[in-house]
PDB file of all heavy atoms in Angstrom:
ATOM      1  N   ALA A 280      23.051 -42.033-145.521  1.00 98.00           N
ATOM      2  CA  ALA A 280      23.928 -42.448-146.615  1.00 98.00           C
ATOM      3  C   ALA A 280      24.824 -43.596-146.170  1.00 98.00           C
ATOM      4  O   ALA A 280      25.020 -44.571-146.903  1.00 98.00           O
ATOM      5  CB  ALA A 280      24.764 -41.265-147.101  1.00 98.00           C
ATOM      6  N   MET A 281      25.359 -43.510-144.959  1.00 98.00           N
ATOM      7  CA  MET A 281      26.215 -44.590-144.465  1.00 98.00           C
ATOM      8  C   MET A 281      25.425 -45.875-144.229  1.00 98.00           C
ATOM      9  O   MET A 281      25.932 -46.976-144.456  1.00 98.00           O
ATOM     10  CB  MET A 281      26.933 -44.133-143.193  1.00 98.00           C
ATOM     11  CG  MET A 281      28.034 -43.128-143.474  1.00 98.00           C
ATOM     12  SD  MET A 281      29.121 -42.783-142.063  1.00 98.00           S
ATOM     13  CE  MET A 281      28.119 -41.643-141.145  1.00 98.00           C
ATOM     14  N   LEU A 284      24.780 -47.361-147.648  1.00 98.00           N
ATOM     15  CA  LEU A 284      26.046 -47.910-148.130  1.00 98.00           C
ATOM     16  C   LEU A 284      26.367 -49.241-147.464  1.00 98.00           C
ATOM     17  O   LEU A 284      26.839 -50.171-148.114  1.00 98.00           O
ATOM     18  CB  LEU A 284      27.178 -46.921-147.887  1.00 98.00           C
ATOM     19  CG  LEU A 284      27.289 -45.756-148.871  1.00 98.00           C
ATOM     20  CD1 LEU A 284      28.227 -44.692-148.318  1.00 98.00           C
ATOM     21  CD2 LEU A 284      27.783 -46.256-150.229  1.00 98.00           C
ATOM     22  N   THR A 299      21.641 -44.067-152.044  1.00 97.00           N
ATOM     23  CA  THR A 299      22.856 -43.414-151.558  1.00 97.00           C
ATOM     24  C   THR A 299      23.265 -42.271-152.475  1.00 97.00           C
ATOM     25  O   THR A 299      23.555 -41.161-152.023  1.00 97.00           O
ATOM     26  CB  THR A 299      24.014 -44.417-151.448  1.00 97.00           C
ATOM     27  OG1 THR A 299      23.683 -45.446-150.520  1.00 97.00           O
ATOM     28  CG2 THR A 299      25.283 -43.718-150.992  1.00 97.00           C
ATOM     29  N   ARG A 300      23.289 -42.546-153.773  1.00 95.00           N
ATOM     30  CA  ARG A 300      23.691 -41.517-154.721  1.00 95.00           C
ATOM     31  C   ARG A 300      22.736 -40.323-154.679  1.00 95.00           C
ATOM     32  O   ARG A 300      23.176 -39.168-154.764  1.00 95.00           O
ATOM     33  CB  ARG A 300      23.766 -42.100-156.130  1.00 95.00           C
ATOM     34  CG  ARG A 300      24.927 -43.066-156.340  1.00 95.00           C
ATOM     35  CD  ARG A 300      24.989 -43.556-157.774  1.00 95.00           C
ATOM     36  NE  ARG A 300      26.050 -44.519-157.988  1.00 95.00           N
ATOM     37  CZ  ARG A 300      27.327 -44.214-158.234  1.00 95.00           C
ATOM     38  NH1 ARG A 300      27.699 -42.937-158.306  1.00 95.00           N
ATOM     39  NH2 ARG A 300      28.227 -45.162-158.414  1.00 95.00           N
ATOM     40  N   LEU A 303      23.607 -38.182-151.618  1.00 97.00           N
ATOM     41  CA  LEU A 303      24.850 -37.438-151.774  1.00 97.00           C
ATOM     42  C   LEU A 303      24.717 -36.345-152.817  1.00 97.00           C
ATOM     43  O   LEU A 303      25.283 -35.251-152.657  1.00 97.00           O
ATOM     44  CB  LEU A 303      25.986 -38.397-152.131  1.00 97.00           C
ATOM     45  CG  LEU A 303      26.286 -39.468-151.083  1.00 97.00           C
ATOM     46  CD1 LEU A 303      27.455 -40.340-151.541  1.00 97.00           C
ATOM     47  CD2 LEU A 303      26.595 -38.862-149.720  1.00 97.00           C
ATOM     48  N   MET A 453      29.382 -36.025-142.404  1.00 98.00           N
ATOM     49  CA  MET A 453      29.184 -35.965-143.850  1.00 98.00           C
ATOM     50  C   MET A 453      30.470 -36.322-144.589  1.00 98.00           C
ATOM     51  O   MET A 453      30.432 -36.947-145.650  1.00 98.00           O
ATOM     52  CB  MET A 453      28.704 -34.565-144.252  1.00 98.00           C
ATOM     53  CG  MET A 453      28.027 -34.515-145.616  1.00 98.00           C
ATOM     54  SD  MET A 453      26.427 -35.338-145.665  1.00 98.00           S
ATOM     55  CE  MET A 453      26.772 -36.682-146.807  1.00 98.00           C
ATOM     56  N   ILE A 454      31.606 -35.928-144.048  1.00 98.00           N
ATOM     57  CA  ILE A 454      32.887 -36.334-144.616  1.00 98.00           C
ATOM     58  C   ILE A 454      33.015 -37.857-144.581  1.00 98.00           C
ATOM     59  O   ILE A 454      33.444 -38.488-145.555  1.00 98.00           O
ATOM     60  CB  ILE A 454      34.052 -35.659-143.873  1.00 98.00           C
ATOM     61  CG1 ILE A 454      34.059 -34.157-144.165  1.00 98.00           C
ATOM     62  CG2 ILE A 454      35.396 -36.280-144.249  1.00 98.00           C
ATOM     63  CD1 ILE A 454      34.965 -33.358-143.252  1.00 98.00           C
ATOM     64  N   CYS A 455      32.645 -38.456-143.451  1.00 98.00           N
ATOM     65  CA  CYS A 455      32.677 -39.916-143.346  1.00 98.00           C
ATOM     66  C   CYS A 455      31.799 -40.562-144.424  1.00 98.00           C
ATOM     67  O   CYS A 455      32.182 -41.571-145.028  1.00 98.00           O
ATOM     68  CB  CYS A 455      32.198 -40.365-141.966  1.00 98.00           C
ATOM     69  SG  CYS A 455      33.321 -39.969-140.601  1.00 98.00           S
ATOM     70  N   ALA A 456      30.614 -39.996-144.666  1.00 98.00           N
ATOM     71  CA  ALA A 456      29.687 -40.564-145.648  1.00 98.00           C
ATOM     72  C   ALA A 456      30.264 -40.490-147.054  1.00 98.00           C
ATOM     73  O   ALA A 456      30.221 -41.471-147.813  1.00 98.00           O
ATOM     74  CB  ALA A 456      28.348 -39.838-145.582  1.00 98.00           C
ATOM     75  N   PHE A 457      30.796 -39.335-147.442  1.00 98.00           N
ATOM     76  CA  PHE A 457      31.372 -39.206-148.778  1.00 98.00           C
ATOM     77  C   PHE A 457      32.603 -40.104-148.933  1.00 98.00           C
ATOM     78  O   PHE A 457      32.808 -40.714-149.993  1.00 98.00           O
ATOM     79  CB  PHE A 457      31.736 -37.750-149.069  1.00 98.00           C
ATOM     80  CG  PHE A 457      30.611 -36.961-149.667  1.00 98.00           C
ATOM     81  CD1 PHE A 457      29.931 -36.024-148.912  1.00 98.00           C
ATOM     82  CD2 PHE A 457      30.233 -37.145-150.984  1.00 98.00           C
ATOM     83  CE1 PHE A 457      28.878 -35.290-149.463  1.00 98.00           C
ATOM     84  CE2 PHE A 457      29.189 -36.420-151.540  1.00 98.00           C
ATOM     85  CZ  PHE A 457      28.512 -35.477-150.780  1.00 98.00           C
ATOM     86  N   ALA A 458      33.419 -40.199-147.906  1.00 98.00           N
ATOM     87  CA  ALA A 458      34.597 -41.060-147.979  1.00 98.00           C
ATOM     88  C   ALA A 458      34.193 -42.517-148.143  1.00 98.00           C
ATOM     89  O   ALA A 458      34.751 -43.245-148.978  1.00 98.00           O
ATOM     90  CB  ALA A 458      35.458 -40.878-146.734  1.00 98.00           C
ATOM     91  N   LYS A 459      33.222 -42.958-147.354  1.00 98.00           N
ATOM     92  CA  LYS A 459      32.755 -44.341-147.436  1.00 98.00           C
ATOM     93  C   LYS A 459      32.153 -44.621-148.820  1.00 98.00           C
ATOM     94  O   LYS A 459      32.388 -45.680-149.401  1.00 98.00           O
ATOM     95  CB  LYS A 459      31.723 -44.608-146.352  1.00 98.00           C
ATOM     96  CG  LYS A 459      31.240 -46.064-146.261  1.00 98.00           C
ATOM     97  CD  LYS A 459      30.236 -46.238-145.108  1.00 98.00           C
ATOM     98  CE  LYS A 459      29.773 -47.697-145.011  1.00 98.00           C
ATOM     99  NZ  LYS A 459      30.831 -48.588-144.464  1.00 98.00           N
ATOM    100  N   ALA A 460      31.391 -43.651-149.338  1.00 98.00           N
ATOM    101  CA  ALA A 460      30.801 -43.821-150.663  1.00 98.00           C
ATOM    102  C   ALA A 460      31.883 -43.966-151.730  1.00 98.00           C
ATOM    103  O   ALA A 460      31.756 -44.778-152.654  1.00 98.00           O
ATOM    104  CB  ALA A 460      29.886 -42.643-150.989  1.00 98.00           C
ATOM    105  N   GLY A 461      32.937 -43.180-151.599  1.00 97.00           N
ATOM    106  CA  GLY A 461      34.029 -43.297-152.554  1.00 97.00           C
ATOM    107  C   GLY A 461      34.644 -44.677-152.565  1.00 97.00           C
ATOM    108  O   GLY A 461      34.970 -45.227-153.622  1.00 97.00           O
ATOM    109  N   ALA A 462      34.791 -45.263-151.369  1.00 97.00           N
ATOM    110  CA  ALA A 462      35.392 -46.594-151.263  1.00 97.00           C
ATOM    111  C   ALA A 462      34.438 -47.684-151.731  1.00 97.00           C
ATOM    112  O   ALA A 462      34.817 -48.571-152.495  1.00 97.00           O
ATOM    113  CB  ALA A 462      35.830 -46.856-149.826  1.00 97.00           C
ATOM    114  N   VAL A 463      33.190 -47.649-151.275  1.00 97.00           N
ATOM    115  CA  VAL A 463      32.249 -48.728-151.560  1.00 97.00           C
ATOM    116  C   VAL A 463      31.751 -48.679-152.997  1.00 97.00           C
ATOM    117  O   VAL A 463      31.592 -49.719-153.645  1.00 97.00           O
ATOM    118  CB  VAL A 463      31.055 -48.683-150.584  1.00 97.00           C
ATOM    119  CG1 VAL A 463      29.995 -49.717-150.946  1.00 97.00           C
ATOM    120  CG2 VAL A 463      31.547 -48.915-149.150  1.00 97.00           C
ATOM    121  N   LEU A 464      31.508 -47.475-153.524  1.00 97.00           N
ATOM    122  CA  LEU A 464      30.990 -47.331-154.882  1.00 97.00           C
ATOM    123  C   LEU A 464      32.097 -47.139-155.912  1.00 97.00           C
ATOM    124  O   LEU A 464      31.819 -47.103-157.112  1.00 97.00           O
ATOM    125  CB  LEU A 464      30.012 -46.156-154.945  1.00 97.00           C
ATOM    126  CG  LEU A 464      28.814 -46.228-153.996  1.00 97.00           C
ATOM    127  CD1 LEU A 464      27.920 -45.016-154.173  1.00 97.00           C
ATOM    128  CD2 LEU A 464      28.028 -47.519-154.181  1.00 97.00           C
ATOM    129  N   GLY A 465      33.324 -47.013-155.443  1.00 95.00           N
ATOM    130  CA  GLY A 465      34.447 -46.880-156.361  1.00 95.00           C
ATOM    131  C   GLY A 465      34.426 -45.608-157.172  1.00 95.00           C
ATOM    132  O   GLY A 465      34.806 -45.601-158.338  1.00 95.00           O
ATOM    133  N   GLU A 466      34.011 -44.503-156.555  1.00 95.00           N
ATOM    134  CA  GLU A 466      33.876 -43.247-157.277  1.00 95.00           C
ATOM    135  C   GLU A 466      34.730 -42.178-156.604  1.00 95.00           C
ATOM    136  O   GLU A 466      34.438 -41.730-155.492  1.00 95.00           O
ATOM    137  CB  GLU A 466      32.415 -42.827-157.341  1.00 95.00           C
ATOM    138  CG  GLU A 466      32.176 -41.701-158.301  1.00 95.00           C
ATOM    139  CD  GLU A 466      30.774 -41.633-158.849  1.00 95.00           C
ATOM    140  OE1 GLU A 466      30.089 -42.680-158.919  1.00 95.00           O
ATOM    141  OE2 GLU A 466      30.355 -40.528-159.210  1.00 95.00           O
ATOM    142  N   ALA A 467      35.755 -41.737-157.326  1.00 95.00           N
ATOM    143  CA  ALA A 467      36.744 -40.828-156.760  1.00 95.00           C
ATOM    144  C   ALA A 467      36.160 -39.463-156.420  1.00 95.00           C
ATOM    145  O   ALA A 467      36.633 -38.799-155.494  1.00 95.00           O
ATOM    146  CB  ALA A 467      37.919 -40.675-157.729  1.00 95.00           C
ATOM    147  N   ARG A 468      35.116 -39.028-157.148  1.00 96.00           N
ATOM    148  CA  ARG A 468      34.595 -37.683-156.899  1.00 96.00           C
ATOM    149  C   ARG A 468      33.985 -37.571-155.513  1.00 96.00           C
ATOM    150  O   ARG A 468      33.971 -36.487-154.923  1.00 96.00           O
ATOM    151  CB  ARG A 468      33.604 -37.267-157.980  1.00 96.00           C
ATOM    152  CG  ARG A 468      32.228 -37.880-157.920  1.00 96.00           C
ATOM    153  CD  ARG A 468      31.397 -37.424-159.109  1.00 96.00           C
ATOM    154  NE  ARG A 468      30.010 -37.861-158.980  1.00 96.00           N
ATOM    155  CZ  ARG A 468      29.047 -37.070-158.514  1.00 96.00           C
ATOM    156  NH1 ARG A 468      29.313 -35.856-158.121  1.00 96.00           N
ATOM    157  NH2 ARG A 468      27.807 -37.518-158.425  1.00 96.00           N
ATOM    158  N   TYR A 469      33.483 -38.672-154.980  1.00 98.00           N
ATOM    159  CA  TYR A 469      32.962 -38.629-153.619  1.00 98.00           C
ATOM    160  C   TYR A 469      34.093 -38.423-152.613  1.00 98.00           C
ATOM    161  O   TYR A 469      33.946 -37.671-151.645  1.00 98.00           O
ATOM    162  CB  TYR A 469      32.195 -39.906-153.310  1.00 98.00           C
ATOM    163  CG  TYR A 469      30.885 -40.047-154.052  1.00 98.00           C
ATOM    164  CD1 TYR A 469      30.410 -41.302-154.421  1.00 98.00           C
ATOM    165  CD2 TYR A 469      30.124 -38.947-154.378  1.00 98.00           C
ATOM    166  CE1 TYR A 469      29.202 -41.446-155.098  1.00 98.00           C
ATOM    167  CE2 TYR A 469      28.913 -39.078-155.059  1.00 98.00           C
ATOM    168  CZ  TYR A 469      28.473 -40.333-155.416  1.00 98.00           C
ATOM    169  OH  TYR A 469      27.275 -40.475-156.079  1.00 98.00           O
ATOM    170  N   VAL A 470      35.201 -39.091-152.833  1.00 98.00           N
ATOM    171  CA  VAL A 470      36.359 -38.869-151.969  1.00 98.00           C
ATOM    172  C   VAL A 470      36.827 -37.429-152.088  1.00 98.00           C
ATOM    173  O   VAL A 470      37.180 -36.789-151.090  1.00 98.00           O
ATOM    174  CB  VAL A 470      37.503 -39.840-152.326  1.00 98.00           C
ATOM    175  CG1 VAL A 470      38.734 -39.553-151.457  1.00 98.00           C
ATOM    176  CG2 VAL A 470      37.058 -41.282-152.138  1.00 98.00           C
ATOM    177  N   VAL A 521      40.482 -44.281-146.848  1.00 97.00           N
ATOM    178  CA  VAL A 521      40.234 -44.345-148.288  1.00 97.00           C
ATOM    179  C   VAL A 521      41.371 -43.753-149.109  1.00 97.00           C
ATOM    180  O   VAL A 521      41.446 -44.011-150.315  1.00 97.00           O
ATOM    181  CB  VAL A 521      38.911 -43.658-148.667  1.00 97.00           C
ATOM    182  CG1 VAL A 521      37.748 -44.370-148.018  1.00 97.00           C
ATOM    183  CG2 VAL A 521      38.906 -42.183-148.303  1.00 97.00           C
ATOM    184  N   GLU A 659      36.077 -50.961-145.681  1.00 94.00           N
ATOM    185  CA  GLU A 659      34.714 -50.515-145.442  1.00 94.00           C
ATOM    186  C   GLU A 659      33.700 -51.650-145.434  1.00 94.00           C
ATOM    187  O   GLU A 659      32.560 -51.436-145.036  1.00 94.00           O
ATOM    188  CB  GLU A 659      34.307 -49.478-146.503  1.00 94.00           C
ATOM    189  CG  GLU A 659      35.059 -48.163-146.394  1.00 94.00           C
ATOM    190  CD  GLU A 659      34.794 -47.435-145.093  1.00 94.00           C
ATOM    191  OE1 GLU A 659      33.720 -47.663-144.480  1.00 94.00           O
ATOM    192  OE2 GLU A 659      35.653 -46.647-144.661  1.00 94.00           O
ATOM    193  N   LYS A 725      37.634 -53.150-158.676  1.00 34.00           N
ATOM    194  CA  LYS A 725      37.524 -51.700-158.656  1.00 34.00           C
ATOM    195  C   LYS A 725      38.413 -51.065-159.699  1.00 34.00           C
ATOM    196  O   LYS A 725      39.535 -51.284-159.814  1.00 34.00           O
ATOM    197  CB  LYS A 725      37.837 -51.151-157.259  1.00 34.00           C
ATOM    198  CG  LYS A 725      36.854 -51.610-156.213  1.00 34.00           C
ATOM    199  CD  LYS A 725      35.487 -51.028-156.452  1.00 34.00           C
ATOM    200  CE  LYS A 725      34.506 -51.419-155.383  1.00 34.00           C
ATOM    201  NZ  LYS A 725      33.176 -50.856-155.622  1.00 34.00           N
TER     202      LYS A 725
END
Side-chain angles (χ1 to χ4, degrees):
M281 287 191 280
L284 281 166
T299 299
R300 290 183 182 276
L303 299 181
M453 200 69 245
I454 291 167
C455 291
F457 272 106
K459 185 178 181 73
V463 175
L464 302 181
E466 192 155 333
R468 76 183 187 98
Y469 290 148
V470 177
V521 297
E659 292 297 335
K725 296 293 183 180

